[in-house]
Amino acid sequence: MRQRGKLEYGGHAAPQRTCVGCRVRTAKSELLRLVQVEDQVVPDLRGRLSGRGASLHPSVSCLELAERRRAFPRAFRVQGPLDVSRVRAHLEGEPRNVM
């Protein structure tokens, strides 16, 4: 039987999310939540920013795959490209003001 939104994780049920890059379902705690602020995609480190969220594995390879697939406009339901420079800076470890 297919699981519905939960994954056995460490003996406890944990919410599942799908990475917009590689499309692999995994525990929510292992993914980085992203939100759209104006025309930018920003990391939501505390999980408290309002708006529609998208999940991504915290790796540059998944970010590049999501960009190649044009997944962010679809995930946020917007037209046109979005700027992902703040997410890239966060994943590459550059000190920068992220939310």
Side-chain angles (χ1 to χ4, degrees):
M1 178 177 240
R2 187 179 151 195
Q3 295 177 349
R4 294 182 182 239
K6 302 252 182 198
L7 172 71
E8 282 300 318
Y9 189 73
H12 302 288
Q16 280 186 305
R17 298 291 183 265
T18 302
C19 173
V20 295
C22 64
R23 306 289 301 155
V24 172
R25 289 181 64 114
T26 189
K28 177 182 171 183
S29 61
E30 294 181 10
L31 298 171
L32 177 64
R33 182 174 189 262
L34 306 172
V35 295
Q36 176 193 358
V37 176
E38 296 176 7
D39 65 341
Q40 287 192 330
V41 178
V42 297
D44 183 8
L45 302 178
R46 294 186 181 131
R48 301 283 184 235
L49 293 176
S50 64
R52 185 171 193 77
S55 299
L56 181 78
H57 282 111
S59 70
V60 176
S61 61
C62 277
L63 175 64
E64 290 171 350
L65 191 56
E67 287 180 299
R68 203 170 339 149
R69 293 180 55 244
R70 296 183 197 119
F72 292 119
R74 267 195 312 272
F76 295 117
R77 297 180 182 172
V78 297
Q79 297 290 323
L82 295 170
D83 180 21
V84 295
S85 60
R86 292 177 72 174
V87 177
R88 184 174 300 280
H90 173 74
L91 294 177
E92 292 173 349
E94 295 177 17
R96 198 172 192 191
N97 183 20
V98 293
M99 294 180 176

